[in-house]
Amino acid sequence: MGYKDQIDLSRLPQHVAIIMDGNGRWAKGKGKLRVFGHHNGVLSVRDVVEGAGELGVKYLTLYTFSAENWNRPSFEVTAIMELLVSTINKEIKKLMQNNVKLNAIGDLALLPKRCHNELQGAIDQTAGNTGLVLTLALSYSSRRELMQAAKNIAEQVKEGTLNPEDITEDVFAQNLYTHNLPDPELMIRTSGEYRISNYLLWQIAYAELYFTTKLWPDFRREDLYEAILDYQKRERRFGKTSEQVN
């Protein structure tokens, strides 16, 4: 029996977030340039997106390019941006066929104009889809997101549209990039690293964390199913005792 057959479809995580790590190491292990790993990582994205959609996961958020990644060698950054454009062009037809709605979070204004335009075009084209919501975290930094939310709220207080005593967790969350998404219940990181790497720091406060040694280009839908099955074996208490939640 495969992992998929063992999953309780009534207890799926509504939102799965993934840190797609290990492209460079995968390529290096094969004696190739890091860009080779990024290209092969696209195959993993395609398979995982299709697998999540077939299973019934409602939201999938992929850490695609961090704000810190802009500091990488210019050749690699350019190659990643070009890959993003070509991938969007190639995958848009399949996104439409699979009823996937594309979304993006991060400091998108920093993206090259062509990349930003292609991304926005795909977001607009899939806006009416009602299946899996696929969010790409691009030029994303959770600390910057939190700082921007604080600035937004400070400005609202300054303008008199918000009273300090009315600032709640819900109000704060509404000022994040992810204001239209539920918090992830499951966060997966590949490549054997045990870090959050400035990813959805507020949103994963109560997420179950799952780490695998597989490098991202080797990660497939069966690995996603294994992670979800592991998630379903855990007890989610949210600060309560076992007796209170059972």
Side-chain angles (χ1 to χ4, degrees):
M1 183 184 294
Y3 292 122
K4 184 179 181 181
D5 298 322
Q6 301 176 57
I7 292 174
D8 181 351
L9 298 181
S10 68
R11 296 175 52 238
L12 285 175
Q14 184 179 202
H15 186 176
V16 177
I18 303 180
I19 299 177
M20 307 181 294
D21 194 23
N23 288 340
R25 275 169 284 170
W26 185 88
K28 187 177 179 180
K30 297 181 180 300
K32 303 285 188 178
L33 294 175
R34 293 175 57 87
V35 175
F36 182 71
H38 295 308
H39 277 271
N40 280 273
V42 171
L43 303 178
S44 298
V45 171
R46 180 185 300 144
D47 197 58
V48 168
V49 169
E50 290 182 356
E54 289 176 6
L55 197 61
V57 173
K58 295 181 180 179
Y59 301 89
L60 179 65
T61 300
L62 305 178
Y63 204 2
T64 308
F65 190 85
S66 73
E68 291 78 17
N69 286 157
W70 291 114
N71 296 319
R72 290 188 175 186
S74 58
F75 168 78
E76 183 177 353
V77 171
T78 300
I80 291 174
M81 290 299 115
E82 288 297 325
L83 176 61
L84 179 61
V85 170
S86 65
T87 299
I88 290 173
N89 287 331
K90 290 177 182 176
E91 298 298 322
I92 187 64
K93 184 177 180 180
K94 185 156 289 189
L95 292 178
M96 294 301 296
Q97 290 174 345
N98 293 332
N99 197 27
V100 175
K101 180 178 181 178
L102 187 64
N103 185 38
I105 58 174
D107 195 350
L108 304 180
L110 294 180
L111 296 175
K113 186 175 181 180
R114 179 168 171 244
C115 183
H116 189 280
N117 290 343
E118 291 288 343
L119 176 64
Q120 190 58 55
I123 290 174
D124 293 341
Q125 192 171 340
T126 63
N129 291 346
T130 57
L132 174 71
V133 177
L134 172 62
T135 300
L136 305 181
L138 285 162
S139 188
Y140 177 83
S141 161
S142 189
R143 285 185 172 183
R144 292 187 189 179
E145 177 185 25
L146 294 170
M147 286 177 59
Q148 188 59 54
K151 290 179 181 179
N152 292 346
I153 291 173
E155 190 64 32
Q156 294 169 47
V157 171
K158 181 181 178 181
E159 292 174 351
T161 58
L162 179 66
N163 295 319
E165 58 270 22
D166 294 330
I167 299 174
T168 63
E169 288 189 10
D170 287 339
V171 168
F172 194 86
Q174 282 301 309
N175 283 273
L176 298 173
Y177 295 142
T178 55
H179 60 87
N180 58 344
L181 302 173
D183 289 342
E185 291 101 336
L186 173 62
M187 195 285 290
I188 301 169
R189 180 169 187 149
T190 60
S191 88
E193 301 290 353
Y194 295 86
R195 295 189 300 273
I196 304 304
S197 294
N198 200 12
Y199 185 48
L200 301 175
L201 299 178
W202 173 280
Q203 297 88 338
I204 64 170
Y206 283 101
E208 298 296 325
L209 307 183
Y210 179 88
F211 300 96
T212 174
T213 57
K214 277 202 173 182
L215 302 176
W216 178 248
D218 291 326
F219 194 91
R220 290 294 186 271
R221 69 180 72 189
E222 275 300 305
D223 300 296
L224 172 67
Y225 298 154
E226 183 178 7
I228 291 175
L229 192 60
D230 181 86
Y231 162 86
Q232 292 190 337
K233 294 176 181 177
R234 303 187 191 185
E235 183 180 69
R236 291 172 58 72
R237 297 190 299 271
F238 301 98
K240 298 179 181 179
T241 66
S242 295
E243 291 75 18
Q244 286 177 299
V245 298
N246 292 322

